[in-house]
Amino acid sequence: MPDMEVSEILTQPYMLRAIAGVVLIAINASIAGSFTIFRNVSFLVAGASHSALAGAALFILLGVYGFPANPLIGALLFAIATAIIAGYAPKEETNTAIGISFAMSMSLAILFISMIREYAAKVWSLLIGDLFLLTYEDLYLMTFVTFLSLMIALLFYKAFLFISFDSEGATAFGLNTKRYNYLLLSLIAVSAVMLLKGVGAILVFAMLVAPAAASNELASNLRDVFVYAFIIALVSGFVGIAISFHFKVSPGAIASLLATTVYFFSLLARRFRGD
Amino acid sequence: MVKEKDYAKPGVETDDTEIEAITSKEVEFRYDEHLVLSDVSFQIKRGEFVAITGPNGSGKTTLLKLILGILQPQKGEIRVMGYSTRERDKIMNLIGFMPQKEHISSNFPILVRDVVMLGLGARKGITKPTKRADEEEGIQAIKSVGLDEEIWTKKFAELSGGQQQRVLLARALAIKPEILLLDEPFNGVDIPSQNKILDLISDLRKKGVTVLFVVHNVNPLLHQIDKIMLLKGRIVAFGRPDEVLTDKNLISAYGASIPIIYCEEGYAHPVYSDIHG
């Protein structure tokens, strides 16, 4: 394959799907990633993406017993459950609650997988992910959920920002802080699930959080955080695809490596700038 | 009950200081089974400056949340400008709130403009787009707290503690409140900035705004306030500073004797020392 012309490579359906996947991942990294940083709930991304494995495993198990259902729906339900638990816990115990949900979900995932050994690979594929293995069905679901997230973020942008900046003040100014908190955490959890098929549960954290964390260091205003996060995730994804194509390595791993490297350089840049 | 027509328009001077801004009748509040406040009854007149103080766990913040309608008492009732705090939609438009700076998360590049406009946005509809006129109101609020317009596009996190407090005050004032609630406004603020904030708040007296300060140390306010409410799960004393700051009341609230010194103007200043308020 490496001796194919670039134009020929770029028209291959699996490549087009991978490129579309990267664009959708970059949009999620911009919206959900930035709010993850603002709301200071990075651990939720790791917790929700791993909890999603248990949901996927359960739905595969149900399929085996004659109740067919899309495993991604199960993944979404479990991720949202983790978000709700995180929102329900007192603020100072949020990370503990996410950690316990994470551990419980992984226990369930391993339990379900042990009951369906012949289908275990389907679940483990969500742990690793592969941009080149995205199907049209995956892309349709990713597009729908990304569009929904974008609309919710645009509509409730000020509310999400207010509760992230000053939760107590937001309540005093009449906002239903609890409701917006549940909505925001669910949006972040759903975005984490959307990245599963592309980069896998292990690397979701890198692709969703690192671009926004890097842009948060570099940006001089909120709009730039969203713009830079999108660009960092997009470029990391495209470079990941290009390198993986030539060297036959995981595109998600290369993209995540780049995004996390940008974060460390952004820390250095901020230090040199004297902020 | 105070009728709507009795309210002075925000920012308009008035002599009608007899209207009760806040009334509390036999209020009791528990968190689960833990009794936090009991038998809390008081009246605060329109235009009064009142400091709510007491030791840690005395119920200061709980009382603030009860006045804001965030919490509801299990017994009794609080009314704000005649409205029950259960009618949150009505009282929200009357109260400006300045939170403790320590409770704020500014680890992202939120600008002064964003901070002020969040307050106005919450009052005018959080999902509605911001209008140019709203932004003008926000800029006026920033100017009213003695900050330059240039600060409008600066990062909130890059401001000094005193400037941050003034931005939060501008956010509270932008909605032109009848009642201003300030939760520990002097935490992490140097003395010159404290004085600036106090001067700004003193100007509100001319506009008939009622101001409640929740503070653990009442000293910076003593020359400005009309009344002190000393709490310890109940009201230990409520009245003029010289009536409240007596040895007996302070022992009752703090469980220890607190020395009192008198300044040149004759005000009694408790020396809290290592008694943590």
Side-chain angles (χ1 to χ4, degrees), chain A:
Chain A
M1 276 202 296
D3 55 347
M4 288 168 79
E5 290 291 326
V6 173
S7 58
E8 204 179 332
I9 296 164
L10 289 175
T11 54
Q12 296 295 316
Y14 71 89
M15 183 59 84
L16 290 173
R17 286 196 297 270
I19 290 169
V22 166
V23 173
L24 291 169
I25 286 169
I27 296 171
N28 280 284
S30 169
I31 304 165
S34 299
F35 276 115
T36 301
I37 298 298
F38 298 166
R39 188 71 186 81
N40 199 15
V41 285
S42 310
F43 193 40
L44 174 63
V45 172
S49 57
H50 284 79
S51 298
L53 291 178
L58 176 65
F59 272 49
I60 292 168
L61 180 69
L62 289 175
V64 171
Y65 286 97
F67 302 99
N70 189 331
L72 268 184
I73 304 294
L76 281 171
L77 292 176
F78 268 61
I80 290 171
T82 302
I84 289 170
I85 290 166
Y88 183 75
K91 198 178 176 185
E92 59 277 13
E93 289 171 29
T94 304
N95 280 339
T96 308
I98 295 169
I100 303 290
S101 309
F102 185 150
M104 188 182 169
S105 301
M106 285 308 286
S107 311
L108 285 172
I110 292 167
L111 177 71
F112 295 147
I113 289 167
S114 70
M115 295 163 73
I116 46 165
R117 288 187 192 283
E118 60 273 34
Y119 299 98
K122 264 179 111 171
V123 182
W124 292 130
S125 72
L126 293 175
L127 195 64
I128 307 296
D130 194 331
L131 281 166
F132 290 134
L133 295 180
L134 286 174
T135 63
Y136 283 115
E137 195 185 342
D138 294 333
L139 284 179
Y140 295 148
L141 188 60
M142 283 172 78
T143 306
F144 173 72
V145 174
T146 304
F147 178 75
L148 200 65
S149 298
L150 186 63
M151 290 299 110
I152 290 171
L154 284 173
L155 187 62
F156 299 116
Y157 171 76
K158 283 189 274 186
F160 291 163
L161 191 61
F162 208 161
I163 63 165
S164 302
F165 172 69
D166 172 17
S167 176
E168 194 180 58
T171 310
F173 273 80
L175 293 195
N176 190 333
T177 310
K178 275 187 185 171
R179 190 176 65 189
Y180 287 119
N181 193 38
Y182 282 126
L183 188 61
L184 177 59
L185 297 180
S186 298
L187 183 143
I188 292 168
V190 167
S191 284
V193 174
M194 283 306 98
L195 269 67
L196 279 183
K197 284 293 287 273
V199 294
I202 295 171
L203 296 179
V204 163
F205 192 85
M207 281 310 286
L208 201 63
V209 179
S215 61
N216 192 52
E217 297 296 324
L218 301 169
S220 55
N221 58 54
L222 294 171
R223 190 197 59 190
D224 286 355
V225 177
F226 292 97
V227 174
Y228 295 171
F230 176 75
I231 293 169
I232 294 167
L234 193 72
V235 173
S236 301
F238 285 161
V239 173
I241 288 175
I243 291 178
S244 72
F245 188 79
H246 284 284
F247 296 101
K248 292 197 167 42
V249 287
S250 160
I254 299 292
S256 301
L257 206 56
L258 277 171
T260 47
T261 305
V262 172
Y263 170 70
F264 290 119
F265 274 106
S266 70
L267 281 182
L268 283 175
R270 184 171 170 174
R271 194 179 173 86
F272 282 123
R273 216 169 49 193
D275 286 1

Side-chain angles (χ1 to χ4, degrees), chain B residues 126-142:
Chain B
I126 200 75
T127 55
K128 289 181 183 166
T130 305
K131 291 177 187 163
R132 180 67 206 161
D134 298 335
E135 195 148 329
E136 285 299 328
E137 279 183 54
I139 292 170
Q140 285 307 316
I142 280 292

Side-chain angles (χ1 to χ4, degrees), chain B residues 142-158:
Chain B
I142 280 292
K143 288 180 181 170
S144 76
V145 296
L147 292 169
D148 292 334
E149 195 177 336
E150 288 75 54
I151 213 168
W152 189 241
T153 50
K154 289 248 165 65
K155 283 187 195 175
F156 181 80
E158 289 176 355

Side-chain angles (χ1 to χ4, degrees), chain B:
Chain B
M1 184 173 139
V2 178
K3 291 173 192 163
E4 199 163 343
K5 66 181 174 60
D6 292 332
Y7 295 167
K9 289 277 183 270
V12 175
E13 291 185 22
T14 174
D15 293 328
D16 195 2
T17 52
E18 292 308 309
I19 297 169
E20 282 154 9
I22 304 168
T23 58
S24 174
K25 272 188 196 164
E26 294 161 10
V27 162
E28 181 178 304
F29 183 80
R30 293 170 188 268
Y31 279 112
D32 298 324
E33 290 306 302
H34 176 62
L35 183 64
V36 182
L37 287 171
S38 65
D39 197 22
V40 174
S41 299
F42 62 86
Q43 293 179 352
I44 294 173
K45 290 190 173 66
R46 185 178 152 77
E48 279 187 330
F49 280 25
V50 176
I52 300 171
T53 193
N56 286 344
S58 60
K60 303 188 291 285
T61 303
T62 301
L63 181 58
L64 193 80
K65 287 180 178 173
L66 286 165
I67 294 168
L68 281 162
I70 295 171
L71 299 174
Q72 292 300 332
Q74 282 91 10
K75 281 188 192 166
E77 185 185 47
I78 294 183
R79 286 187 168 267
V80 173
M81 302 298 279
Y83 293 112
S84 165
T85 54
R86 292 182 195 280
E87 300 176 89
R88 268 204 94 194
D89 289 349
K90 286 177 181 162
I91 65 162
M92 280 297 91
N93 292 321
L94 303 168
I95 304 177
F97 174 67
M98 184 172 143
Q100 287 191 42
K101 195 156 59 64
E102 286 71 19
H103 293 175
I104 278 172
S105 164
S106 56
N107 61 335
F108 51 93
I110 189 165
L111 305 182
V112 168
R113 174 182 60 205
D114 302 318
V115 174
V116 176
M117 296 311 292
L118 283 178
L120 277 166
R123 286 301 151 82
K124 297 194 173 186
I126 200 75
T127 55
K128 289 181 183 166
T130 305
K131 291 177 187 163
R132 180 67 206 161
D134 298 335
E135 195 148 329
E136 285 299 328
E137 279 183 54
I139 292 170
Q140 285 307 316
I142 280 292
K143 288 180 181 170
S144 76
V145 296
L147 292 169
D148 292 334
E149 195 177 336
E150 288 75 54
I151 213 168
W152 189 241
T153 50
K154 289 248 165 65
K155 283 187 195 175
F156 181 80
E158 289 176 355
L159 305 181
S160 69
Q163 285 175 322
Q164 288 184 344
Q165 286 293 53
R166 282 150 76 185
V167 170
L168 294 173
L169 181 60
R171 185 182 73 177
L173 293 178
I175 60 161
K176 298 185 174 66
E178 302 256 357
I179 297 168
L180 185 62
L181 303 185
L182 304 107
D183 193 3
E184 297 291 0
F186 302 130
N187 276 4
V189 176
D190 59 26
I191 289 172
S193 295
Q194 284 185 15
N195 291 336
K196 270 185 193 164
I197 292 170
L198 272 172
D199 289 344
L200 292 165
I201 293 170
S202 297
D203 287 343
L204 297 175
R205 193 187 287 270
K206 296 171 198 159
K207 297 176 181 174
V209 177
T210 309
V211 183
L212 264 70
F213 303 84
V214 169
V215 287
H216 65 276
N217 178 4
V218 80
N219 283 317
L221 297 166
L222 270 175
H223 295 207
Q224 310 279 352
I225 50 177
D226 301 304
K227 288 179 180 170
I228 295 178
M229 185 184 296
L230 188 58
L231 284 178
K232 180 71 190 298
R234 61 187 171 81
I235 295 177
V236 175
F238 180 45
R240 291 199 324 266
D242 59 314
E243 293 171 342
V244 173
L245 297 176
T246 63
D247 208 31
K248 186 183 160 205
N249 287 337
L250 291 171
I251 289 173
S252 180
Y254 292 92
S257 180
I258 295 178
I260 295 172
I261 58 167
Y262 290 87
C263 67
E264 286 176 355
E265 289 93 334
Y267 289 92
H269 289 262
V271 183
Y272 293 99
S273 181
D274 58 350
I275 302 287
H276 298 291

